[in-house]
């Protein structure tokens, strides 16, 4: 099968990104207006850098916005702001990228905003979220059916969270994104039930993205070689989302809110069959003496309530017997290094080589269209 020459299939990317610049966060009149994220150029650290006061890690755009660059070229030389792909920040350029890849629509997440989810100052985080949301709503307004920006939700209090969720819906959002770590208690606590109830009632899927949990950014690894340690950290970034999914299931969130939809974003998918076996095994062995009853088996909640996005994770194809094909969604991850641009059609065809056309279409666009209410 020559995947390069097959007829292009429709695609809805269930996980794409913008690469924020300082003007995204500039629209604020708060006390933080002089300390919002700002741009610098640092040749020694990759060129274009967005600095977020309060976060030690600098954010090289040569890593966050690599669309079209071979992996061997990433940070090989400094990259200036003018060299970044315009589709990462300009909605008109973004629509051209979609046309190039036969992408009908993208569900669009932040890049810098993922790290701001872990900012230690909750008030600062809220101000950044609100500034970003104002900007992403404007970005999406250029083509609301193709540019589906996902707002960031601040939940310092339940009332604040409810207001932010309703505001997102009123501004046309098809989904919302929560930080991986809750500000108080944890997301399975009954105190959060009004949040889950509103999201379900408004038909707003709740997205948890990798790198938005503190555990995803853990600096400690096994080994004495710092370069090897940096590679090991690439494996950490899935654990936060996996733990969230298990917590929501065992914490009874889906038991209490059976119509709630949650999206596990960019955490791959080939791990699902073993993960579900482990959930079921643990529940069967330990639930009796723990006195835990969640109503159904853990894997049933996972298959009913949880969606997954992934790019070129070929292990998904190898584990389809243990997957729910109605919950899997392809993503281009534009403009990130893990993305498939400009070869998304090839990546999708390779992934789905041994799948039926029906399953391929579900993964490519139909599941996302149904979940995010996209007409295609």
């Amino acid at each position: 099968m020559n995947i390069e020459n097959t007829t292009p299939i429709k695609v809805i990317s269930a996980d794409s990104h913008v690469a924020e610049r300082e003007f995204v966060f500039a629209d604020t009149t708060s006390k933080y207006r002089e300390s919002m994220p700002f741009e610098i150029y640092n040749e020694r650290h990759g060129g274009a850098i967005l600095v977020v006061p309060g976060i030690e890690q600098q954010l090289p755009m040569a890593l966050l916005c690599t669309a079209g660059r071979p992996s061997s070229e990433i940070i090989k030389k400094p990259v200036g702001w003018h060299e970044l792909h315009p589709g990462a920040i300009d909605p008109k350029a973004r629509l051209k990228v979609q046309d190039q890849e036969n992408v009908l629509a993208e569900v669009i997440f932040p890049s810098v905003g993922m790290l701001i989810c872990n900012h230690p100052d909750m008030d600062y985080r809220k101000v950044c979220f609100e500034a970003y949301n104002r900007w992403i709503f404007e970005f999406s307004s250029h083509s609301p059916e193709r540019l589906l920006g996902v707002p960031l939700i601040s939940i310092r209090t339940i009332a604040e969270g409810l207001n932010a969720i309703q505001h997102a819906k009123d501004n046309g959002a098809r989904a919302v994104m929560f930080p991986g770590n809750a500000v108080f208690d944890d997301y399975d606590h009954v105190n959060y039930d009004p949040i889950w109830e509103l999201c379900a009632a408004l038909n707003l899927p709740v997205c948890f993205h990798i790198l938005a949990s503190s555990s995803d950014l853990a600096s400690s690894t096994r080994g004495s070689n710092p370069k090897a340690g940096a590679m090991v950290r690439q494996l950490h970034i899935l654990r936060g989302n996996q733990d969230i999914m298990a917590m929501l299931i065992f914490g009874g969130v889906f038991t209490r809110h059976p119509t709630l939809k949650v999206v596990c974003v960019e955490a791959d998918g080939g791990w699902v069959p073993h993960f579900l076996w482990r959930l079921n095994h643990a529940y069967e062995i330990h639930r009796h003496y723990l006195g835990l009853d969640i109503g159904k088996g853990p894997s049933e909640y996972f298959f009913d309530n949880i969606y997954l996005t992934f790019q070129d994770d070929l292990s998904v194809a190898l584990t389809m017997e243990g997957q729910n094909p109605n919950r899997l969604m392809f993503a281009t991850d534009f403009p990130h290094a893990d993305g498939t641009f400009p070869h998304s059609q090839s990546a999708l065809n390779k992934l789905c080589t041994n799948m039926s056309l029906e399953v391929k279409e579900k993964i490519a666009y139909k599941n996302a269209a149904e979940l995010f209410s996209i007409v295609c």
Side-chain angles (χ1 to χ4, degrees):
M1 179 179 181
N2 187 341
I3 60 176
E4 295 291 344
N5 295 325
T6 56
T7 302
I9 190 171
K10 297 176 184 177
V11 171
I12 292 175
S13 175
D15 169 41
S16 295
H17 294 266
V18 288
E20 301 96 310
R21 298 192 61 166
E22 67 179 22
F23 62 77
V24 170
F25 301 100
D27 183 17
T28 179
T29 58
S30 81
K31 65 180 181 180
Y32 296 105
R33 61 184 176 276
E34 301 300 326
S35 58
M36 298 300 283
F38 61 92
E39 298 172 8
I40 64 172
Y41 181 82
N42 187 323
E43 190 167 300
R44 292 182 58 190
H45 294 281
I49 302 287
L50 193 73
V51 177
V52 181
I55 293 182
E56 183 177 351
Q57 179 183 2
Q58 292 192 334
L59 306 175
M61 288 298 153
L63 278 177
L64 286 178
C65 185
T66 62
R69 297 177 185 270
S71 59
S72 59
E73 297 297 319
I74 297 176
I75 310 192
K76 193 172 185 178
K77 65 180 183 65
V79 175
W81 289 98
H82 66 284
E83 298 178 84
L84 302 176
H85 197 296
I89 198 71
D90 178 359
K92 293 181 180 179
R94 186 55 161 268
L95 293 172
K96 292 180 180 179
V97 171
Q98 291 185 359
D99 292 339
Q100 179 182 345
E101 295 255 271
N102 203 43
V103 171
L104 302 178
E106 293 173 281
V107 181
I108 299 175
F109 295 89
S111 294
V112 178
M114 292 190 297
L115 297 184
I116 294 177
C117 283
N118 292 291
H119 199 284
D121 185 335
M122 304 303 170
D123 297 335
Y124 181 87
R125 180 196 297 182
K126 178 179 184 290
V127 170
C128 287
F129 281 9
E130 290 177 342
Y132 173 81
N133 290 349
R134 286 191 291 269
W135 178 80
I136 198 64
F137 291 145
E138 194 280 329
F139 180 94
S140 300
S141 71
H142 289 266
S143 185
E145 289 300 321
R146 301 185 68 185
L147 304 173
L148 281 67
V150 179
L152 294 160
I153 302 300
S154 176
I155 314 179
R156 295 177 304 174
T157 67
I158 294 300
E160 177 177 276
L162 294 173
N163 288 335
I165 292 164
Q166 186 64 59
H167 181 71
K169 182 69 173 182
D170 292 344
N171 280 272
R174 312 290 180 89
V176 291
M177 176 178 163
F178 289 4
N181 296 99
V183 174
F184 59 92
D185 299 320
D186 214 334
Y187 289 124
D188 64 332
H189 197 284
V190 293
N191 285 342
Y192 284 90
D193 278 354
I195 297 289
W196 301 124
E197 182 178 355
L198 182 61
C199 290
L202 295 178
N203 193 29
L204 279 177
V206 178
C207 302
F208 289 97
H209 200 291
I210 62 168
L211 296 175
S213 297
S214 58
S215 60
D216 298 348
L217 306 175
S219 58
S220 61
T221 60
R222 296 294 301 270
S224 57
N225 184 333
K227 293 181 179 179
M231 295 298 289
V232 172
R233 277 193 291 275
Q234 294 297 315
L235 306 180
H236 285 194
I237 62 178
L238 305 183
R239 283 299 308 277
N241 267 24
Q242 291 173 336
D243 289 346
I244 291 169
M245 301 306 122
M247 172 191 66
L248 295 177
I249 291 171
F250 287 134
V253 172
F254 300 125
T255 309
R256 301 191 299 271
H257 308 281
T259 62
L260 177 68
K261 301 301 182 185
V262 168
V263 189
C264 180
V265 185
E266 205 179 331
D268 301 329
W271 49 269
V272 168
H274 175 261
F275 186 75
L276 297 186
W277 175 84
R278 193 69 197 173
L279 292 184
N280 289 338
H281 179 74
Y283 186 61
E284 285 302 316
I285 297 297
H286 301 291
R287 66 187 176 95
H288 301 287
Y289 72 81
L290 289 173
L292 180 66
D293 184 359
I294 59 174
K296 299 191 298 187
S299 61
E300 294 182 72
Y301 288 115
F302 194 99
F303 280 157
D304 287 345
N305 299 89
I306 295 174
Y307 292 71
L308 300 100
T309 83
F310 55 92
Q311 294 85 255
D312 51 355
D313 179 7
L314 295 181
S315 65
V316 171
L318 299 175
T319 58
M320 283 302 292
E321 288 188 6
Q323 304 277 0
N324 179 357
N326 298 316
R327 296 293 182 265
L328 301 174
M329 301 184 295
F330 180 72
T332 68
D333 196 36
F334 180 91
H336 288 175
D338 284 342
T340 56
F341 176 85
H343 306 294
S344 298
Q345 288 288 326
S346 296
L348 180 60
N349 280 315
K350 186 175 182 180
L351 174 72
C352 299
T353 296
N354 296 316
M355 298 181 192
S356 68
L357 179 59
E358 178 186 11
V359 171
K360 180 178 180 180
E361 288 180 338
K362 286 182 178 181
I363 292 173
Y365 71 97
K366 287 186 175 180
N367 290 340
E370 180 180 16
L371 179 64
F372 299 111
S373 303
I374 302 170
V375 178
C376 58

